[in-house]
PDB file of all heavy atoms in Angstrom:
ATOM      1  N   LEU A   1      -9.510   6.591  -2.372  1.00  0.00           N
ATOM      2  CA  LEU A   1      -9.039   5.237  -2.620  1.00  0.00           C
ATOM      3  C   LEU A   1      -9.684   4.705  -3.887  1.00  0.00           C
ATOM      4  O   LEU A   1     -10.829   5.034  -4.202  1.00  0.00           O
ATOM      5  CB  LEU A   1      -9.394   4.307  -1.448  1.00  0.00           C
ATOM      6  CG  LEU A   1      -8.612   4.473  -0.151  1.00  0.00           C
ATOM      7  CD1 LEU A   1      -9.242   3.630   0.949  1.00  0.00           C
ATOM      8  CD2 LEU A   1      -7.136   4.106  -0.330  1.00  0.00           C
ATOM      9  N   THR A   2      -8.951   3.869  -4.604  1.00  0.00           N
ATOM     10  CA  THR A   2      -9.495   3.258  -5.811  1.00  0.00           C
ATOM     11  C   THR A   2      -8.961   1.843  -5.935  1.00  0.00           C
ATOM     12  O   THR A   2      -8.075   1.428  -5.192  1.00  0.00           O
ATOM     13  CB  THR A   2      -9.148   4.096  -7.064  1.00  0.00           C
ATOM     14  OG1 THR A   2      -9.883   3.612  -8.188  1.00  0.00           O
ATOM     15  CG2 THR A   2      -7.657   4.055  -7.358  1.00  0.00           C
ATOM     16  N   SER A   3      -9.501   1.100  -6.917  1.00  0.00           N
ATOM     17  CA  SER A   3      -9.077  -0.267  -7.153  1.00  0.00           C
ATOM     18  C   SER A   3      -9.180  -0.550  -8.641  1.00  0.00           C
ATOM     19  O   SER A   3      -9.245   0.374  -9.467  1.00  0.00           O
ATOM     20  CB  SER A   3      -9.929  -1.244  -6.336  1.00  0.00           C
ATOM     21  OG  SER A   3      -9.423  -2.562  -6.433  1.00  0.00           O
ATOM     22  N   TYR A   4      -9.212  -1.828  -9.011  1.00  0.00           N
ATOM     23  CA  TYR A   4      -9.333  -2.205 -10.418  1.00  0.00           C
ATOM     24  C   TYR A   4     -10.626  -1.657 -11.021  1.00  0.00           C
ATOM     25  O   TYR A   4     -11.625  -1.464 -10.325  1.00  0.00           O
ATOM     26  CB  TYR A   4      -9.335  -3.727 -10.557  1.00  0.00           C
ATOM     27  CG  TYR A   4      -8.050  -4.408 -10.162  1.00  0.00           C
ATOM     28  CD1 TYR A   4      -8.049  -5.417  -9.202  1.00  0.00           C
ATOM     29  CD2 TYR A   4      -6.837  -4.071 -10.764  1.00  0.00           C
ATOM     30  CE1 TYR A   4      -6.880  -6.077  -8.850  1.00  0.00           C
ATOM     31  CE2 TYR A   4      -5.668  -4.715 -10.415  1.00  0.00           C
ATOM     32  CZ  TYR A   4      -5.687  -5.711  -9.460  1.00  0.00           C
ATOM     33  OH  TYR A   4      -4.531  -6.363  -9.109  1.00  0.00           O
ATOM     34  N   ARG A   5     -10.600  -1.438 -12.322  1.00  0.00           N
ATOM     35  CA  ARG A   5     -11.795  -0.993 -13.029  1.00  0.00           C
ATOM     36  C   ARG A   5     -12.932  -1.985 -12.812  1.00  0.00           C
ATOM     37  O   ARG A   5     -12.753  -3.194 -12.932  1.00  0.00           O
ATOM     38  CB  ARG A   5     -11.518  -0.894 -14.533  1.00  0.00           C
ATOM     39  CG  ARG A   5     -10.582   0.246 -14.922  1.00  0.00           C
ATOM     40  CD  ARG A   5     -10.462   0.337 -16.436  1.00  0.00           C
ATOM     41  NE  ARG A   5      -9.604   1.444 -16.842  1.00  0.00           N
ATOM     42  CZ  ARG A   5      -9.453   1.844 -18.101  1.00  0.00           C
ATOM     43  NH1 ARG A   5     -10.109   1.217 -19.069  1.00  0.00           N
ATOM     44  NH2 ARG A   5      -8.651   2.848 -18.389  1.00  0.00           N
ATOM     45  N   GLY A   6     -14.079  -1.458 -12.481  1.00  0.00           N
ATOM     46  CA  GLY A   6     -15.247  -2.306 -12.301  1.00  0.00           C
ATOM     47  C   GLY A   6     -15.329  -2.993 -10.959  1.00  0.00           C
ATOM     48  O   GLY A   6     -16.273  -3.740 -10.719  1.00  0.00           O
ATOM     49  N   THR A   7     -14.360  -2.752 -10.087  1.00  0.00           N
ATOM     50  CA  THR A   7     -14.374  -3.374  -8.767  1.00  0.00           C
ATOM     51  C   THR A   7     -14.971  -2.396  -7.754  1.00  0.00           C
ATOM     52  O   THR A   7     -14.366  -1.353  -7.469  1.00  0.00           O
ATOM     53  CB  THR A   7     -12.958  -3.768  -8.320  1.00  0.00           C
ATOM     54  OG1 THR A   7     -12.409  -4.684  -9.261  1.00  0.00           O
ATOM     55  CG2 THR A   7     -12.983  -4.402  -6.940  1.00  0.00           C
ATOM     56  N   PRO A   8     -16.132  -2.676  -7.214  1.00  0.00           N
ATOM     57  CA  PRO A   8     -16.727  -1.764  -6.232  1.00  0.00           C
ATOM     58  C   PRO A   8     -15.954  -1.815  -4.914  1.00  0.00           C
ATOM     59  O   PRO A   8     -15.446  -2.856  -4.513  1.00  0.00           O
ATOM     60  CB  PRO A   8     -18.150  -2.300  -6.058  1.00  0.00           C
ATOM     61  CG  PRO A   8     -18.039  -3.751  -6.411  1.00  0.00           C
ATOM     62  CD  PRO A   8     -16.989  -3.855  -7.477  1.00  0.00           C
ATOM     63  N   LEU A   9     -15.854  -0.669  -4.263  1.00  0.00           N
ATOM     64  CA  LEU A   9     -15.175  -0.607  -2.975  1.00  0.00           C
ATOM     65  C   LEU A   9     -16.126  -1.059  -1.868  1.00  0.00           C
ATOM     66  O   LEU A   9     -17.338  -0.835  -1.936  1.00  0.00           O
ATOM     67  CB  LEU A   9     -14.703   0.813  -2.684  1.00  0.00           C
ATOM     68  CG  LEU A   9     -13.732   1.456  -3.680  1.00  0.00           C
ATOM     69  CD1 LEU A   9     -13.187   2.759  -3.098  1.00  0.00           C
ATOM     70  CD2 LEU A   9     -12.595   0.528  -4.056  1.00  0.00           C
ATOM     71  N   SER A  10     -15.567  -1.671  -0.854  1.00  0.00           N
ATOM     72  CA  SER A  10     -16.362  -2.064   0.303  1.00  0.00           C
ATOM     73  C   SER A  10     -16.831  -0.813   1.033  1.00  0.00           C
ATOM     74  O   SER A  10     -16.276   0.285   0.840  1.00  0.00           O
ATOM     75  CB  SER A  10     -15.521  -2.920   1.244  1.00  0.00           C
ATOM     76  OG  SER A  10     -14.481  -2.140   1.829  1.00  0.00           O
ATOM     77  N   PRO A  11     -17.852  -0.921   1.886  1.00  0.00           N
ATOM     78  CA  PRO A  11     -18.302   0.255   2.627  1.00  0.00           C
ATOM     79  C   PRO A  11     -17.182   0.916   3.437  1.00  0.00           C
ATOM     80  O   PRO A  11     -17.093   2.143   3.488  1.00  0.00           O
ATOM     81  CB  PRO A  11     -19.397  -0.308   3.534  1.00  0.00           C
ATOM     82  CG  PRO A  11     -19.925  -1.495   2.786  1.00  0.00           C
ATOM     83  CD  PRO A  11     -18.734  -2.092   2.103  1.00  0.00           C
ATOM     84  N   THR A  12     -16.329   0.106   4.052  1.00  0.00           N
ATOM     85  CA  THR A  12     -15.238   0.683   4.836  1.00  0.00           C
ATOM     86  C   THR A  12     -14.254   1.414   3.933  1.00  0.00           C
ATOM     87  O   THR A  12     -13.802   2.519   4.252  1.00  0.00           O
ATOM     88  CB  THR A  12     -14.504  -0.414   5.620  1.00  0.00           C
ATOM     89  OG1 THR A  12     -15.437  -1.054   6.501  1.00  0.00           O
ATOM     90  CG2 THR A  12     -13.362   0.163   6.439  1.00  0.00           C
ATOM     91  N   ALA A  13     -13.896   0.819   2.784  1.00  0.00           N
ATOM     92  CA  ALA A  13     -12.979   1.471   1.853  1.00  0.00           C
ATOM     93  C   ALA A  13     -13.598   2.752   1.296  1.00  0.00           C
ATOM     94  O   ALA A  13     -12.910   3.763   1.104  1.00  0.00           O
ATOM     95  CB  ALA A  13     -12.610   0.525   0.726  1.00  0.00           C
ATOM     96  N   THR A  14     -14.894   2.718   1.045  1.00  0.00           N
ATOM     97  CA  THR A  14     -15.588   3.913   0.550  1.00  0.00           C
ATOM     98  C   THR A  14     -15.526   5.036   1.579  1.00  0.00           C
ATOM     99  O   THR A  14     -15.255   6.201   1.252  1.00  0.00           O
ATOM    100  CB  THR A  14     -17.043   3.580   0.215  1.00  0.00           C
ATOM    101  OG1 THR A  14     -17.072   2.575  -0.811  1.00  0.00           O
ATOM    102  CG2 THR A  14     -17.796   4.813  -0.256  1.00  0.00           C
ATOM    103  N   GLN A  15     -15.774   4.686   2.831  1.00  0.00           N
ATOM    104  CA  GLN A  15     -15.747   5.687   3.892  1.00  0.00           C
ATOM    105  C   GLN A  15     -14.331   6.216   4.088  1.00  0.00           C
ATOM    106  O   GLN A  15     -14.120   7.428   4.259  1.00  0.00           O
ATOM    107  CB  GLN A  15     -16.272   5.066   5.183  1.00  0.00           C
ATOM    108  CG  GLN A  15     -16.559   6.086   6.286  1.00  0.00           C
ATOM    109  CD  GLN A  15     -17.187   5.447   7.506  1.00  0.00           C
ATOM    110  OE1 GLN A  15     -17.283   4.224   7.595  1.00  0.00           O
ATOM    111  NE2 GLN A  15     -17.612   6.260   8.466  1.00  0.00           N
ATOM    112  N   ALA A  16     -13.356   5.320   4.054  1.00  0.00           N
ATOM    113  CA  ALA A  16     -11.967   5.755   4.190  1.00  0.00           C
ATOM    114  C   ALA A  16     -11.568   6.655   3.032  1.00  0.00           C
ATOM    115  O   ALA A  16     -10.913   7.687   3.214  1.00  0.00           O
ATOM    116  CB  ALA A  16     -11.040   4.543   4.255  1.00  0.00           C
ATOM    117  N   GLY A  17     -11.976   6.278   1.820  1.00  0.00           N
ATOM    118  CA  GLY A  17     -11.657   7.094   0.653  1.00  0.00           C
ATOM    119  C   GLY A  17     -12.247   8.484   0.733  1.00  0.00           C
ATOM    120  O   GLY A  17     -11.608   9.470   0.354  1.00  0.00           O
ATOM    121  N   ALA A  18     -13.464   8.584   1.230  1.00  0.00           N
ATOM    122  CA  ALA A  18     -14.092   9.890   1.374  1.00  0.00           C
ATOM    123  C   ALA A  18     -13.337  10.755   2.378  1.00  0.00           C
ATOM    124  O   ALA A  18     -13.149  11.962   2.169  1.00  0.00           O
ATOM    125  CB  ALA A  18     -15.552   9.719   1.806  1.00  0.00           C
ATOM    126  N   ALA A  19     -12.886  10.146   3.483  1.00  0.00           N
ATOM    127  CA  ALA A  19     -12.117  10.898   4.480  1.00  0.00           C
ATOM    128  C   ALA A  19     -10.789  11.350   3.909  1.00  0.00           C
ATOM    129  O   ALA A  19     -10.332  12.474   4.159  1.00  0.00           O
ATOM    130  CB  ALA A  19     -11.909  10.036   5.724  1.00  0.00           C
ATOM    131  N   ILE A  20     -10.144  10.495   3.125  1.00  0.00           N
ATOM    132  CA  ILE A  20      -8.869  10.865   2.501  1.00  0.00           C
ATOM    133  C   ILE A  20      -9.083  11.985   1.492  1.00  0.00           C
ATOM    134  O   ILE A  20      -8.309  12.954   1.440  1.00  0.00           O
ATOM    135  CB  ILE A  20      -8.235   9.630   1.837  1.00  0.00           C
ATOM    136  CG1 ILE A  20      -7.820   8.609   2.894  1.00  0.00           C
ATOM    137  CG2 ILE A  20      -7.020  10.028   1.007  1.00  0.00           C
ATOM    138  CD1 ILE A  20      -7.448   7.257   2.337  1.00  0.00           C
ATOM    139  N   ALA A  21     -10.120  11.881   0.673  1.00  0.00           N
ATOM    140  CA  ALA A  21     -10.410  12.935  -0.306  1.00  0.00           C
ATOM    141  C   ALA A  21     -10.654  14.270   0.381  1.00  0.00           C
ATOM    142  O   ALA A  21     -10.209  15.325  -0.105  1.00  0.00           O
ATOM    143  CB  ALA A  21     -11.619  12.539  -1.154  1.00  0.00           C
ATOM    144  N   ALA A  22     -11.367  14.240   1.506  1.00  0.00           N
ATOM    145  CA  ALA A  22     -11.609  15.487   2.256  1.00  0.00           C
ATOM    146  C   ALA A  22     -10.307  16.068   2.775  1.00  0.00           C
ATOM    147  O   ALA A  22     -10.121  17.298   2.779  1.00  0.00           O
ATOM    148  CB  ALA A  22     -12.577  15.201   3.402  1.00  0.00           C
ATOM    149  N   ALA A  23      -9.403  15.211   3.211  1.00  0.00           N
ATOM    150  CA  ALA A  23      -8.108  15.693   3.697  1.00  0.00           C
ATOM    151  C   ALA A  23      -7.285  16.291   2.567  1.00  0.00           C
ATOM    152  O   ALA A  23      -6.635  17.339   2.735  1.00  0.00           O
ATOM    153  CB  ALA A  23      -7.345  14.549   4.363  1.00  0.00           C
ATOM    154  N   ILE A  24      -7.313  15.657   1.392  1.00  0.00           N
ATOM    155  CA  ILE A  24      -6.583  16.187   0.240  1.00  0.00           C
ATOM    156  C   ILE A  24      -7.096  17.566  -0.144  1.00  0.00           C
ATOM    157  O   ILE A  24      -6.326  18.451  -0.525  1.00  0.00           O
ATOM    158  CB  ILE A  24      -6.708  15.217  -0.962  1.00  0.00           C
ATOM    159  CG1 ILE A  24      -6.010  13.895  -0.649  1.00  0.00           C
ATOM    160  CG2 ILE A  24      -6.128  15.829  -2.230  1.00  0.00           C
ATOM    161  CD1 ILE A  24      -6.302  12.790  -1.659  1.00  0.00           C
ATOM    162  N   ALA A  25      -8.378  17.763  -0.018  1.00  0.00           N
ATOM    163  CA  ALA A  25      -8.991  19.037  -0.418  1.00  0.00           C
ATOM    164  C   ALA A  25      -8.574  20.198   0.474  1.00  0.00           C
ATOM    165  O   ALA A  25      -8.666  21.363   0.072  1.00  0.00           O
ATOM    166  CB  ALA A  25     -10.511  18.898  -0.408  1.00  0.00           C
ATOM    167  N   GLN A  26      -8.112  19.911   1.690  1.00  0.00           N
ATOM    168  CA  GLN A  26      -7.719  20.958   2.622  1.00  0.00           C
ATOM    169  C   GLN A  26      -6.256  21.364   2.408  1.00  0.00           C
ATOM    170  O   GLN A  26      -5.407  20.508   2.201  1.00  0.00           O
ATOM    171  CB  GLN A  26      -7.898  20.475   4.063  1.00  0.00           C
ATOM    172  CG  GLN A  26      -9.326  20.184   4.439  1.00  0.00           C
ATOM    173  CD  GLN A  26     -10.214  21.409   4.323  1.00  0.00           C
ATOM    174  OE1 GLN A  26      -9.855  22.486   4.801  1.00  0.00           O
ATOM    175  NE2 GLN A  26     -11.365  21.249   3.682  1.00  0.00           N
ATOM    176  N   PRO A  27      -5.943  22.652   2.448  1.00  0.00           N
ATOM    177  CA  PRO A  27      -4.539  23.063   2.333  1.00  0.00           C
ATOM    178  C   PRO A  27      -3.753  22.652   3.569  1.00  0.00           C
ATOM    179  O   PRO A  27      -4.325  22.394   4.631  1.00  0.00           O
ATOM    180  CB  PRO A  27      -4.625  24.588   2.221  1.00  0.00           C
ATOM    181  CG  PRO A  27      -5.904  24.939   2.917  1.00  0.00           C
ATOM    182  CD  PRO A  27      -6.849  23.798   2.635  1.00  0.00           C
ATOM    183  N   ARG A  28      -2.445  22.574   3.415  1.00  0.00           N
ATOM    184  CA  ARG A  28      -1.591  22.229   4.553  1.00  0.00           C
ATOM    185  C   ARG A  28      -0.502  23.277   4.676  1.00  0.00           C
ATOM    186  O   ARG A  28       0.223  23.559   3.722  1.00  0.00           O
ATOM    187  CB  ARG A  28      -0.956  20.842   4.366  1.00  0.00           C
ATOM    188  CG  ARG A  28      -0.101  20.421   5.562  1.00  0.00           C
ATOM    189  CD  ARG A  28       0.673  19.140   5.285  1.00  0.00           C
ATOM    190  NE  ARG A  28       1.616  19.323   4.205  1.00  0.00           N
ATOM    191  CZ  ARG A  28       1.761  18.495   3.179  1.00  0.00           C
ATOM    192  NH1 ARG A  28       0.994  17.438   3.086  1.00  0.00           N
ATOM    193  NH2 ARG A  28       2.649  18.734   2.239  1.00  0.00           N
ATOM    194  N   GLN A  29      -0.406  23.852   5.863  1.00  0.00           N
ATOM    195  CA  GLN A  29       0.681  24.788   6.129  1.00  0.00           C
ATOM    196  C   GLN A  29       1.990  24.028   6.257  1.00  0.00           C
ATOM    197  O   GLN A  29       2.021  22.823   6.424  1.00  0.00           O
ATOM    198  CB  GLN A  29       0.402  25.560   7.414  1.00  0.00           C
ATOM    199  CG  GLN A  29      -0.818  26.453   7.359  1.00  0.00           C
ATOM    200  CD  GLN A  29      -1.034  27.209   8.658  1.00  0.00           C
ATOM    201  OE1 GLN A  29      -0.401  26.906   9.656  1.00  0.00           O
ATOM    202  NE2 GLN A  29      -1.928  28.176   8.620  1.00  0.00           N
ATOM    203  N   GLY A  30       3.090  24.770   6.164  1.00  0.00           N
ATOM    204  CA  GLY A  30       4.387  24.158   6.361  1.00  0.00           C
ATOM    205  C   GLY A  30       4.484  23.531   7.738  1.00  0.00           C
ATOM    206  O   GLY A  30       3.943  24.047   8.717  1.00  0.00           O
ATOM    207  N   LEU A  31       5.158  22.379   7.826  1.00  0.00           N
ATOM    208  CA  LEU A  31       5.260  21.649   9.078  1.00  0.00           C
ATOM    209  C   LEU A  31       6.353  22.240   9.969  1.00  0.00           C
ATOM    210  O   LEU A  31       7.398  22.677   9.476  1.00  0.00           O
ATOM    211  CB  LEU A  31       5.568  20.177   8.807  1.00  0.00           C
ATOM    212  CG  LEU A  31       4.575  19.454   7.893  1.00  0.00           C
ATOM    213  CD1 LEU A  31       5.052  18.030   7.630  1.00  0.00           C
ATOM    214  CD2 LEU A  31       3.181  19.452   8.504  1.00  0.00           C
ATOM    215  N   PRO A  32       6.141  22.252  11.273  1.00  0.00           N
ATOM    216  CA  PRO A  32       7.198  22.686  12.190  1.00  0.00           C
ATOM    217  C   PRO A  32       8.419  21.784  12.038  1.00  0.00           C
ATOM    218  O   PRO A  32       8.286  20.570  11.854  1.00  0.00           O
ATOM    219  CB  PRO A  32       6.559  22.538  13.576  1.00  0.00           C
ATOM    220  CG  PRO A  32       5.082  22.495  13.327  1.00  0.00           C
ATOM    221  CD  PRO A  32       4.900  21.863  11.991  1.00  0.00           C
ATOM    222  N   LEU A  33       9.593  22.355  12.123  1.00  0.00           N
ATOM    223  CA  LEU A  33      10.823  21.594  11.929  1.00  0.00           C
ATOM    224  C   LEU A  33      11.366  21.125  13.270  1.00  0.00           C
ATOM    225  O   LEU A  33      11.745  21.926  14.114  1.00  0.00           O
ATOM    226  CB  LEU A  33      11.870  22.460  11.231  1.00  0.00           C
ATOM    227  CG  LEU A  33      13.082  21.704  10.683  1.00  0.00           C
ATOM    228  CD1 LEU A  33      12.673  20.821   9.509  1.00  0.00           C
ATOM    229  CD2 LEU A  33      14.172  22.681  10.252  1.00  0.00           C
ATOM    230  N   PRO A  34      11.391  19.795  13.494  1.00  0.00           N
ATOM    231  CA  PRO A  34      11.971  19.299  14.744  1.00  0.00           C
ATOM    232  C   PRO A  34      13.446  19.690  14.854  1.00  0.00           C
ATOM    233  O   PRO A  34      14.130  19.886  13.851  1.00  0.00           O
ATOM    234  CB  PRO A  34      11.817  17.775  14.616  1.00  0.00           C
ATOM    235  CG  PRO A  34      10.763  17.568  13.593  1.00  0.00           C
ATOM    236  CD  PRO A  34      10.893  18.715  12.642  1.00  0.00           C
ATOM    237  N   ALA A  35      13.924  19.777  16.080  1.00  0.00           N
ATOM    238  CA  ALA A  35      15.322  20.161  16.294  1.00  0.00           C
ATOM    239  C   ALA A  35      16.277  19.209  15.588  1.00  0.00           C
ATOM    240  O   ALA A  35      17.326  19.627  15.080  1.00  0.00           O
ATOM    241  CB  ALA A  35      15.616  20.187  17.797  1.00  0.00           C
ATOM    242  N   ASP A  36      15.920  17.925  15.521  1.00  0.00           N
ATOM    243  CA  ASP A  36      16.800  16.957  14.884  1.00  0.00           C
ATOM    244  C   ASP A  36      16.923  17.159  13.378  1.00  0.00           C
ATOM    245  O   ASP A  36      17.791  16.547  12.743  1.00  0.00           O
ATOM    246  CB  ASP A  36      16.300  15.538  15.162  1.00  0.00           C
ATOM    247  CG  ASP A  36      16.570  15.105  16.600  1.00  0.00           C
ATOM    248  OD1 ASP A  36      17.246  15.857  17.321  1.00  0.00           O
ATOM    249  OD2 ASP A  36      16.098  14.025  16.992  1.00  0.00           O
ATOM    250  N   CYS A  37      16.063  17.978  12.811  1.00  0.00           N
ATOM    251  CA  CYS A  37      16.128  18.240  11.374  1.00  0.00           C
ATOM    252  C   CYS A  37      16.855  19.547  11.047  1.00  0.00           C
ATOM    253  O   CYS A  37      17.056  19.857   9.868  1.00  0.00           O
ATOM    254  CB  CYS A  37      14.722  18.301  10.781  1.00  0.00           C
ATOM    255  SG  CYS A  37      13.798  16.746  10.828  1.00  0.00           S
ATOM    256  N   SER A  38      17.218  20.312  12.058  1.00  0.00           N
ATOM    257  CA  SER A  38      17.776  21.643  11.802  1.00  0.00           C
ATOM    258  C   SER A  38      19.074  21.594  11.011  1.00  0.00           C
ATOM    259  O   SER A  38      19.354  22.481  10.198  1.00  0.00           O
ATOM    260  CB  SER A  38      17.993  22.388  13.119  1.00  0.00           C
ATOM    261  OG  SER A  38      18.899  21.680  13.950  1.00  0.00           O
ATOM    262  N   GLY A  39      19.869  20.564  11.222  1.00  0.00           N
ATOM    263  CA  GLY A  39      21.120  20.455  10.490  1.00  0.00           C
ATOM    264  C   GLY A  39      20.946  20.200   9.012  1.00  0.00           C
ATOM    265  O   GLY A  39      21.890  20.367   8.228  1.00  0.00           O
ATOM    266  N   GLN A  40      19.742  19.783   8.609  1.00  0.00           N
ATOM    267  CA  GLN A  40      19.451  19.519   7.193  1.00  0.00           C
ATOM    268  C   GLN A  40      18.925  20.752   6.473  1.00  0.00           C
ATOM    269  O   GLN A  40      18.690  20.712   5.264  1.00  0.00           O
ATOM    270  CB  GLN A  40      18.404  18.400   7.093  1.00  0.00           C
ATOM    271  CG  GLN A  40      18.835  17.071   7.656  1.00  0.00           C
ATOM    272  CD  GLN A  40      19.712  16.298   6.683  1.00  0.00           C
ATOM    273  OE1 GLN A  40      20.036  16.774   5.600  1.00  0.00           O
ATOM    274  NE2 GLN A  40      20.111  15.111   7.073  1.00  0.00           N
ATOM    275  N   ASP A  41      18.744  21.845   7.204  1.00  0.00           N
ATOM    276  CA  ASP A  41      18.087  23.037   6.664  1.00  0.00           C
ATOM    277  C   ASP A  41      19.070  23.872   5.847  1.00  0.00           C
ATOM    278  O   ASP A  41      19.530  24.931   6.286  1.00  0.00           O
ATOM    279  CB  ASP A  41      17.490  23.846   7.814  1.00  0.00           C
ATOM    280  CG  ASP A  41      16.495  24.895   7.339  1.00  0.00           C
ATOM    281  OD1 ASP A  41      16.194  24.926   6.136  1.00  0.00           O
ATOM    282  OD2 ASP A  41      16.020  25.680   8.190  1.00  0.00           O
TER     283      ASP A  41
END
């Protein structure tokens, strides 16, 4: 997470940003396709 230049993030935003960054760093396998999406395949 980020904000305006020079604007410090709150502790909660900092913690949330760190969790999001960790998630971005992890690869993601292809998602299972629900039956309702099969016609779009």
Side-chain angles (χ1 to χ4, degrees):
L1 287 171
T2 190
S3 187
Y4 295 125
R5 290 185 178 188
T7 301
L9 301 190
S10 67
T12 300
T14 299
Q15 192 175 8
I20 293 168
I24 294 169
Q26 296 299 313
R28 182 188 63 228
Q29 296 181 348
L31 304 176
L33 193 69
D36 286 354
C37 294
S38 60
Q40 298 280 2
D41 195 5

